[in-house]
C-alpha cells in the first residue's frame, strides 16, 4: 500500500470513530487535565497512561493510540503504522516499545510557540462485535514560551545570538533610542563581514560590537512569533571596573601613607613632651 493511501486509511478510520464512544460507567473517572510548559526549541512530553483508564481490558498489541487538539488530529499510531499532521511532521512520536506497558505519552520535539494549546489522547479498543471504540484517556495543556535575556558586552566583543530552532527564519533589531524595527537577518542570507551564521548549529554571531549595536534583538519564526528576545548593552563597563579598582588600590595606598606619617608625627611629639618634663 502506498504511503498516501495509508494516510487516507487512518483519516477514514478517525472519521468513523468520531461517533463511537464507550460506555464510561464501567471505566474509572477520567484523570484531571495536566499542564506542561516548555521553551521554544526544547522537547515536551505530554503524559499519558492508558492502563490507569482501561486497566487490562485493552486489546493486545499492536496498540492503537490517537492524539488530537480540539481542532484536528495531531498523531495516530497502530503498531508500525503512523500518521502525523503536516505541521508536526518529524516532530511527534509515541515510542512503540512503551505502549505495551501502558505509556502512551506524546513526545513533541523542537516545540514551537504555535504548539501551545490543549491536547487529548485516545485509545482505540475492541467494542461490540467488529466495532472499534475510541476511549478518552488524558487531557494535557501545553504552554510554550519564548526565550528572554539581558546581555552586556564591551566594544569590539562579539555577540552570539541563539536561534534555538530550525524554524527561526528572521532576526529583527531595534536600536536603544529607536522606534522602528529593521531586518537584520533572514534564513538563507549569505554571511557578511560582521554577521555570520554557524554552518551547523542554530547560532548567529555579530562581531566587533559598537555602541550602535545596543538595543533589542528578536528572533522570529515563519508566523512572526517571537522565538527569543535579547536586550543588549555595549559599553566600557569592564574597563571602567578595572579603572575603579585601580583607583581604590591607589586610595588605599594613600591612606596607608597618611597613617604612617601621622604615626611618626605622634611619636616625635610624644618624645618632645617627655624631654620637656625632664
Amino acid at each position: 500500500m502506498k504511503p498516501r493511501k495509508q494516510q487516507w486509511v487512518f483519516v477514514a478510520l478517525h472519521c468513523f470513530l468520531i461517533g463511537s464512544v464507550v460506555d464510561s460507567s464501567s471505566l474509572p473517572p477520567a484523570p484531571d487535565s495536566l499542564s506542561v510548559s516548555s521553551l521554544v526549541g526544547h522537547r515536551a512530553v505530554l503524559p499519558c497512561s492508558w492502563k490507569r483508564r482501561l486497566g487490562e481490558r485493552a486489546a493486545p498489541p499492536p496498540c492503537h493510540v490517537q492524539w488530537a487538539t480540539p481542532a484536528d488530529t495531531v498523531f495516530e499510531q497502530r503498531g508500525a503504522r503512523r500518521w502525523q499532521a503536516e505541521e508536526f511532521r518529524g516532530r511527534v512520536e509515541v515510542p512503540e516499545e512503551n505502549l505495551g506497558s501502558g505509556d502512551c505519552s506524546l513526545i513533541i520535539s523542537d516545540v514551537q510557540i504555535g504548539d501551545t494549546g490543549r491536547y487529548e489522547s485516545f485509545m482505540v479498543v475492541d467494542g461490540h462485535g467488529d466495532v472499534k471504540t475510541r476511549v478518552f484517556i488524558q487531557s494535557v495543556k501545553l504552554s510554550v514560551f519564548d526565550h528572554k535575556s539581558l546581555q552586556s558586552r564591551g566594544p569590539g566583543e562579539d555577540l552570539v545570538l541563539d536561534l534555538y530552532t530550525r524554524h527561526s527564519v528572521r532576526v529583527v533589531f531595534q536600536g536603544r533610542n529607536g522606534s522602528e524595527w529593521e531586518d537584520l537577518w533572514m534564513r538563507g542570507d549569505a554571511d557578511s563581514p560582521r554577521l555570520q551564521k554557524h554552518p551547523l548549529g542554530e547560532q548567529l554571531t555579530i562581531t566587533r560590537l559598537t555602541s550602535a549595536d545596543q538595543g533589542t534583538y528578536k528572533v522570529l519564526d515563519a508566523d512572526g512569533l517571537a522565538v527569543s528576545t535579547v536586550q543588549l548593552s555595549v559599553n566600557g563597563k569592564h574597563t571602567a571596573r578595572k579603572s575603579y579598582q585601580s583607583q581604590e588600590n591607589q586610595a588605599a595606598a594613600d591612606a596607608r601613607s597618611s597613617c604612617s606619617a601621622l604615626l611618626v608625627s605622634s611619636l616625635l611629639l610624644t618624645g618632645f613632651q617627655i624631654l620637656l618634663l625632664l
Side-chain angles (χ1 to χ4, degrees):
M1 184 180 291
K2 296 182 180 180
R4 184 176 296 275
K5 189 172 181 181
Q6 288 180 345
Q7 291 181 8
W8 280 110
V9 169
F10 270 112
V11 172
L13 179 60
H14 170 68
C15 293
F16 171 75
L17 291 170
I18 289 293
S20 180
V21 294
V22 70
D23 179 10
S24 60
S25 61
S26 61
L27 298 176
D32 294 334
S33 178
L34 302 175
S35 295
V36 172
S37 61
S38 179
L39 290 170
V40 178
H42 289 191
R43 188 182 80 154
V45 178
L46 310 190
C48 172
S49 175
W50 62 258
K51 280 194 174 180
R52 292 182 183 178
R53 183 79 167 132
L54 297 175
E56 300 298 332
R57 60 168 288 170
C63 294
H64 190 163
V65 61
Q66 296 176 343
W67 277 91
T69 65
D72 204 357
T73 300
V74 170
F75 177 84
E76 186 167 354
Q77 176 173 311
R78 183 177 186 272
R81 299 169 61 191
R82 297 176 177 84
W83 182 88
Q84 304 171 4
E86 186 62 35
E87 61 270 30
F88 290 92
R89 188 165 300 281
R91 298 195 297 120
V92 289
E93 66 169 333
V94 175
E96 185 179 358
E97 61 271 18
N98 298 341
L99 268 174
S101 61
D103 185 358
C104 49
S105 301
L106 181 70
I107 300 175
I108 306 179
S109 302
D110 194 18
V111 293
Q112 304 299 305
I113 293 290
D115 295 341
T116 295
R118 185 170 299 281
Y119 296 75
E120 293 181 339
S121 61
F122 301 86
M123 289 295 292
V124 179
V125 298
D126 291 333
H128 299 291
D130 295 331
V131 177
K132 296 291 184 179
T133 303
R134 186 170 180 255
V135 183
F136 169 75
I137 303 297
Q138 180 70 62
S139 175
V140 182
K141 181 181 179 182
L142 174 63
S143 300
V144 183
F145 301 98
D146 60 321
H147 302 259
K148 290 182 172 65
S149 66
L150 297 173
Q151 299 197 34
S152 177
R153 296 289 187 278
E157 294 183 344
D158 297 343
L159 171 67
V160 177
L161 200 61
D162 286 311
L163 301 175
Y164 294 104
T165 168
R166 59 186 175 85
H167 295 282
S168 298
V169 299
R170 182 182 174 201
V171 176
V172 295
F173 170 71
Q174 184 184 68
R176 170 167 288 183
N177 299 319
S179 58
E180 300 291 331
W181 290 94
E182 61 180 275
D183 285 331
L184 187 67
W185 174 83
M186 294 284 289
R187 188 171 289 276
D189 284 354
D191 289 347
S192 68
R194 292 195 56 222
L195 193 64
Q196 290 102 36
K197 166 73 169 62
H198 192 284
L200 299 176
E202 294 299 332
Q203 290 181 327
L204 199 65
T205 300
I206 305 172
T207 64
R208 303 189 304 277
L209 294 171
T210 69
S211 59
D213 296 315
Q214 295 183 107
T216 303
Y217 296 81
K218 280 185 178 291
V219 179
L220 307 176
D221 64 13
D223 296 320
L225 300 175
V227 172
S228 75
T229 302
V230 175
Q231 291 187 349
L232 174 69
S233 61
V234 180
N235 51 52
K237 185 175 181 181
H238 303 295
T239 303
R241 184 181 296 117
K242 291 179 181 178
S243 175
Y244 178 72
Q245 290 174 344
S246 297
Q247 290 173 3
E248 282 186 335
N249 293 338
Q250 184 61 45
D254 291 343
R256 288 194 296 270
S257 298
S258 298
C259 290
S260 298
L262 182 60
L263 180 60
V264 171
S265 299
S266 298
L267 290 173
L268 290 174
L269 179 59
T270 303
F272 180 71
Q273 289 174 342
I274 292 173
L275 289 175
L276 290 178
L277 294 175
L278 293 178

